[in-house]
Amino acid sequence: MTTVHERVADPRTTRGRRRPRPSPAGPLLALLWAGAAGVLALWWTDTRSVVGLTGWLTDAGRMAGLLCGYACAVLVALMARVPLLERRVGSDRVARWHAMAGRYTICLLVAHVTLILFGYAAQDGTGIVHETLSVVFDYPDMLKATIGTVILFAVGITSARAARRRISHEFWYYVHLLTYVAVFLAFFHQLALGSDFVGNAAARFAWYTLYLGTAGLVVWFRLLAPVRLNRRHRLRVESVHRESPGVFSIVVGGERLDELDAQAGQFFRWRFLADGLRWTSTPYSLSAPPRPDRMRITVKALGDHSAAVGMLRPGTRVWAEGPYGSLTADRSTSSKALLIAGGVGITPLRALFETLPGRVTLLYRARTAEDLALGGELEDIARWRGARVLYALNAADGTRPRLTAGSLREAVPDIAEHDVYLCGPPAMARDLYGELRTAGVPDRRINHESFEL
């Protein structure tokens, strides 16, 4: 690592520090688990006794079905891009919750289908194939529910890590949207066949409230709010600038952009209305503090879509959703901060480097000096605010420097007193998290946002 600049922090940047707002993650998780407990309580109060193998199979299937129905609503709510979640909890953390809820949903769905079918078959004294055909084609709303089940399995398969590596992001995205269709198709059989809802008006009201409330979140935040944003702000590409080999900055202009209340460190989901790009929405971070009339993103050509973004022409219309992300100054708890960027993960940290109050050190990990996107701007900011920029580059033979607890403490001796903002490839972030903890940085001061779609 080489030190480019090292000065005393500019006192102008230390004023106006706000006490960080507590994350609502804990209370929200508690609320979700309380909802699951309420679902189990519904089954408990509606079940007088469980007798024999048939009873155990069907009641276990009922329980799994109730929890699966609840998990479906949670799964969709986590897809709704609610600002409280996306900006206060963090988009990457919400994505992890969504992935976990998806795994729970598929497991509960398998358990529900298997246990119910075997329980019914044992009760009727028939084979499993005959019972399955009877349930699918003779029971009310079961054909629709079966189609919804098949769709959910398809979503689950394409979301598995092994499958994601083999399919395009666009294909995965549009298959994922079928979750809405699957949940809609499966909803009605729950009320028509669920013994916990038949004759229980309070339970039916609660279930309708849960699903209609979830649908309202989706309609408002994924449909109406983006339409309002783009009609009001009328975004267009102003200019495109080459920053380094394969890296381009796109300046997007618009009207009254200060009303978006975007912050340095956040990102938008961008859809550029140009040939080959209009059907794909991709998250890119702001690479400079937003201004009332323009915003800037910086994109590295890592695939067909990101390469095409660098070829955009001025005047191209832009459809955006956001702002999202919680990697902002609101997380700051100390007057000292260490920003660690890997590759194009520099984009949100470059904006924070300019605006974050206090004494700031930026550590930028890249392969070569040519890969240091926005390097000139970083040095200008360092001179202006008296901050430090440290580079960790590969050696001449390609050997990567190890960022260990020892090397981090050597570069920043009082690192344990710093807030750390970390953005880069997932593997790098995982390794650095462990090294930072070993170096004495408390968990609460390590702020990370995954640099992964």
Side-chain angles (χ1 to χ4, degrees):
M1 291 186 290
T2 59
T3 303
V4 178
H5 296 289
E6 183 170 3
R7 297 183 187 176
V8 177
D10 187 339
R12 293 174 299 172
T13 65
T14 62
R15 296 196 301 264
R17 178 169 301 281
R18 295 177 294 177
R19 185 175 182 179
R21 294 181 295 175
S23 170
L28 284 171
L29 282 176
L31 181 62
L32 293 179
W33 285 112
V39 169
L40 291 177
L42 173 63
W43 171 83
W44 179 266
T45 56
D46 196 52
T47 303
R48 295 183 178 179
S49 63
V50 181
V51 180
L53 177 63
T54 299
W56 281 106
L57 287 172
T58 54
D59 273 278
R62 281 175 52 206
M63 191 188 311
L66 284 169
L67 288 171
C68 183
Y70 173 73
C72 282
V74 172
L75 192 69
V76 172
L78 293 174
M79 294 172 63
R81 296 177 186 166
V82 179
L84 175 67
L85 297 176
E86 298 286 336
R87 302 177 192 175
R88 296 283 305 283
V89 175
S91 298
D92 62 329
R93 193 172 186 181
V94 173
R96 291 195 295 272
W97 289 1
H98 174 74
M100 183 180 297
R103 290 190 288 270
Y104 286 157
T105 301
I106 295 299
C107 290
L108 289 167
L109 182 59
V110 171
H112 170 62
V113 171
T114 303
L115 292 168
I116 284 290
L117 288 178
F118 276 96
Y120 285 1
Q123 180 177 301
D124 296 339
T126 61
I128 189 64
V129 174
H130 178 273
E131 190 65 37
T132 300
L133 293 175
S134 175
V135 168
V136 171
F137 292 105
D138 297 339
Y139 283 49
D141 293 310
M142 271 307 304
L143 184 58
K144 290 187 294 185
T146 302
I147 296 172
T149 298
V150 171
I151 293 174
L152 278 178
F153 279 133
V155 173
I157 291 170
T158 56
S159 297
R161 186 168 299 178
R164 286 287 306 275
R165 289 196 291 261
R166 291 172 171 80
I167 61 178
S168 68
H169 173 72
E170 290 78 10
F171 180 79
W172 169 85
Y173 175 77
Y174 286 111
V175 169
H176 217 63
L177 288 181
L178 292 176
T179 302
Y180 298 127
V181 178
V183 172
F184 174 78
L185 291 173
F187 172 74
F188 297 99
H189 93 285
Q190 300 176 58
L191 299 179
L193 299 174
S195 59
D196 301 282
F197 299 108
V198 176
N200 189 336
R204 292 172 69 90
F205 176 78
W207 216 245
Y208 269 114
T209 300
L210 173 66
Y211 273 78
L212 289 176
T214 300
L217 293 177
V218 172
V219 170
W220 182 260
F221 291 113
R222 294 207 65 164
L223 294 177
L224 300 182
V227 169
R228 180 182 181 276
L229 183 154
N230 288 279
R231 285 179 60 87
R232 182 168 181 77
H233 300 291
R234 302 184 181 278
L235 304 174
R236 293 183 181 272
V237 173
E238 266 193 15
S239 58
V240 178
H241 309 276
R242 182 180 181 276
E243 301 290 355
S244 64
V247 178
F248 296 86
S249 286
I250 295 87
V251 178
V252 176
E255 302 173 5
R256 301 182 294 273
L257 299 186
D258 53 319
E259 296 177 5
L260 292 172
D261 197 27
Q263 300 181 56
Q266 291 187 312
F267 69 93
F268 286 75
R269 297 180 186 272
W270 306 90
R271 190 186 302 273
F272 299 98
L273 305 186
D275 292 341
L277 297 177
R278 66 179 67 246
W279 299 112
T280 303
S281 175
T282 307
Y284 293 121
S285 298
L286 299 176
S287 61
R291 294 172 50 180
D293 60 342
R294 69 187 64 179
M295 298 181 288
R296 190 187 74 175
I297 60 175
T298 300
V299 179
K300 184 174 183 179
L302 297 173
D304 293 340
H305 181 276
S306 51
V309 170
M311 306 302 292
L312 287 169
R313 296 183 177 181
T316 301
R317 292 177 58 198
V318 181
W319 183 275
E321 299 176 41
Y324 302 125
S326 61
L327 198 70
T328 66
D330 288 340
R331 289 189 173 187
S332 178
T333 63
S334 171
S335 61
K336 306 172 186 177
L338 171 63
L339 315 181
I340 307 178
V344 78
I346 188 63
T347 52
L349 300 190
R350 180 263 177 246
L352 278 174
F353 190 47
E354 181 176 338
T355 59
L356 196 64
R359 196 175 77 192
V360 181
T361 299
L362 172 65
L363 170 57
Y364 190 177
R365 170 76 181 88
R367 289 190 179 89
T368 67
E370 289 185 349
D371 294 321
L372 295 172
L374 309 173
E377 293 185 11
L378 297 175
E379 296 185 16
D380 289 341
I381 294 170
R383 281 192 294 269
W384 165 69
R385 64 173 298 169
R388 292 197 301 161
V389 179
L390 309 175
Y391 297 129
L393 305 177
N394 290 0
D397 61 358
T399 304
R400 305 178 100 188
R402 288 200 62 208
L403 299 178
T404 64
S407 64
L408 290 170
R409 277 196 297 258
E410 182 180 351
V412 186
D414 56 347
I415 190 171
E417 301 174 10
H418 284 61
D419 290 317
V420 178
Y421 290 78
L422 175 60
C423 188
M428 169 192 159
R430 285 192 298 269
D431 292 343
L432 273 172
Y433 178 84
E435 298 297 336
L436 287 166
R437 295 291 287 120
T438 302
V441 182
D443 179 76
R444 68 181 184 278
R445 287 188 172 176
I446 302 176
N447 307 299
H448 167 244
E449 198 148 73
S450 175
F451 196 67
E452 185 176 38
L453 293 178

